Amino acid sequence: MRSRPFAAPTRSVRMLMSTDDCSVIGRTPCPCGKGEIVVEHCTPDHPWARDSQGWYNNTLSCAECELRYEIFQKEQSAKGRLVLREEAERVRDAEKKWHQTLRNIEASQAFNRLSTQLDRALSEQRSAAAAHRLLVQAELTYDSIGQYRRNGYKLSALNAGEALRLFRNHAPDLEAMISDESSYRKAMRETPAAIKTGNPGLIL
């Protein structure tokens, strides 16, 4: 496959979005060679714009490659990477299942009983400082005492496992959902392997 020469970075200001100042920083052929991958770096178009306000626009213009690949980004402010579409979909699927599992945990009777038990334990403490100390020691919060005084505490699905350990409760259904939540969280944090493109606007 013959590679096209890299185009020098060019300036392009979007006409429809006068507040965006975009520069093409990478233009290379797509994997099959029938289309191209174009990456722009954009910043707000005003004199006090900071680098941290920038983002990347990625375009894969090839109908054939779009069926197999996509440009994957965790955040628009970070460079993306060309990956297999099925690997990116696996990450997105894990994230959807993670959110659903959190909702299932908080809707369960076992979680509601656990939340009530924790509320009662906190109310029985002699002071707000003692209640905060209980939460910190159980790894249920990393908030300061000041934040706890202002906001109080409400158990979330993310901390259900720590609350179970605090009270040494045994709740098989809830424990199974907590295990699923942990597995989905790990899977959704994985980053698909980057496919080498030679595009300076992408990772690899």
Side-chain angles (χ1 to χ4, degrees):
M1 179 178 70
R2 179 177 294 178
S3 297
R4 304 176 192 174
F6 288 169
T10 59
R11 301 278 296 174
S12 64
V13 180
R14 293 183 177 185
M15 300 306 293
L16 295 179
M17 294 291 291
S18 60
T19 57
D20 293 354
D21 187 0
C22 298
S23 301
V24 174
I25 61 171
R27 184 190 300 272
T28 51
C30 64
C32 77
K34 297 177 183 177
E36 63 180 7
I37 299 170
V38 178
V39 181
E40 293 180 310
H41 184 259
C42 302
T43 55
D45 188 19
H46 53 70
W48 52 92
R50 299 187 301 272
D51 289 342
S52 60
Q53 295 176 294
W55 68 93
Y56 295 88
N57 287 333
N58 309 298
T59 305
L60 172 59
S61 56
C62 175
E64 186 174 322
C65 285
E66 282 181 346
L67 297 175
R68 188 178 181 192
Y69 306 99
E70 70 173 73
I71 298 173
F72 182 89
Q73 279 180 288
K74 289 281 189 178
E75 299 175 359
Q76 270 203 304
S77 60
K79 282 186 177 182
R81 59 180 63 201
L82 187 71
V83 304
L84 291 173
R85 182 172 291 276
E86 64 183 48
E87 292 186 8
E89 288 177 348
R90 195 177 302 127
V91 172
R92 287 191 291 270
D93 183 59
E95 185 173 7
K96 289 178 183 177
K97 289 179 178 177
W98 178 72
H99 284 293
Q100 184 58 54
T101 301
L102 292 178
R103 289 191 289 268
N104 292 344
I105 289 173
E106 295 193 346
S108 69
Q109 292 184 357
F111 177 83
N112 289 327
R113 288 194 297 269
L114 184 62
S115 181
T116 299
Q117 186 177 9
L118 178 60
D119 289 343
R120 185 167 55 249
L122 293 175
S123 68
E124 291 172 352
Q125 301 303 304
R126 298 180 62 179
S127 65
H132 177 256
R133 188 161 50 249
L134 173 66
L135 291 169
V136 171
Q137 290 173 347
E139 297 183 344
L140 283 164
T141 188
Y142 294 98
D143 286 351
S144 67
I145 179 64
Q147 290 171 313
Y148 174 69
R149 289 182 189 276
R150 288 193 300 273
N151 305 320
Y153 183 83
K154 180 176 175 58
L155 182 65
S156 76
L158 291 171
N159 300 115
E162 288 80 4
L164 281 178
R165 287 194 291 273
L166 172 64
F167 297 112
R168 299 181 182 179
N169 289 0
H170 182 55
D173 291 344
L174 181 56
E175 290 168 15
M177 287 190 286
I178 292 170
S179 177
D180 288 342
E181 179 272 327
S182 178
S183 297
Y184 294 139
R185 176 161 31 99
K186 181 180 179 181
M188 77 180 194
R189 288 179 174 175
E190 292 181 356
T191 302
I195 296 170
K196 190 172 182 179
T197 64
N199 191 309
L202 298 177
I203 296 174
L204 289 184

